[in-house]
Amino acid sequence: MLFDLKYVISAEPSMSGYIALISAGVYPIEMPLEVLSKHEELDVKLKYIFSDFENKAGWNASDFFDILENKWKLAGMSEAIKEAQSKCLK
């Protein structure tokens, strides 16, 4: 999947380095929940940063980021998101 790098924010002074915020787009909540419910965990790997996807121009992610992979357990995720959504819609 491709994600859009939205913001890079400095984490100083509380932490060193930066925080990168990415987006996979905006979808009705049922779509990502259906996809994620088929998996026990979500494994995210950052490999490449495109400045121009059509021409495959860009950089290796390791040139800019020290943490290139993260995993999240998805048990109970659908229920938690639905509960949070119901609180927001009140």
Side-chain angles (χ1 to χ4, degrees):
M1 288 180 78
L2 293 176
F3 292 86
D4 188 17
L5 180 62
K6 292 292 187 183
Y7 303 101
V8 177
I9 303 167
S10 173
E12 294 179 348
S14 59
M15 300 184 318
S16 63
Y18 296 87
I19 298 169
L21 302 173
I22 62 173
S23 173
V26 179
Y27 303 95
I29 194 70
E30 295 78 21
M31 187 274 228
L33 290 182
E34 181 182 332
V35 171
L36 294 174
S37 69
K38 297 175 184 174
H39 304 279
E40 291 184 16
E41 68 181 21
L42 177 63
D43 186 7
V44 177
K45 296 177 184 176
L46 180 60
K47 295 184 177 196
Y48 204 75
I49 302 167
F50 291 104
S51 58
D52 182 348
F53 179 72
E54 288 183 21
N55 293 314
K56 306 293 187 228
W59 308 271
N60 287 324
S62 60
D63 293 344
F64 297 93
F65 295 93
D66 58 341
I67 300 171
L68 300 175
E69 185 174 352
N70 207 336
K71 292 182 182 185
W72 294 278
K73 300 262 185 230
L74 298 176
M77 185 256 334
S78 291
E79 295 80 12
I81 289 178
K82 288 176 185 175
E83 179 182 344
Q85 180 188 36
S86 70
K87 289 179 181 181
C88 290
L89 295 175
K90 285 185 179 181

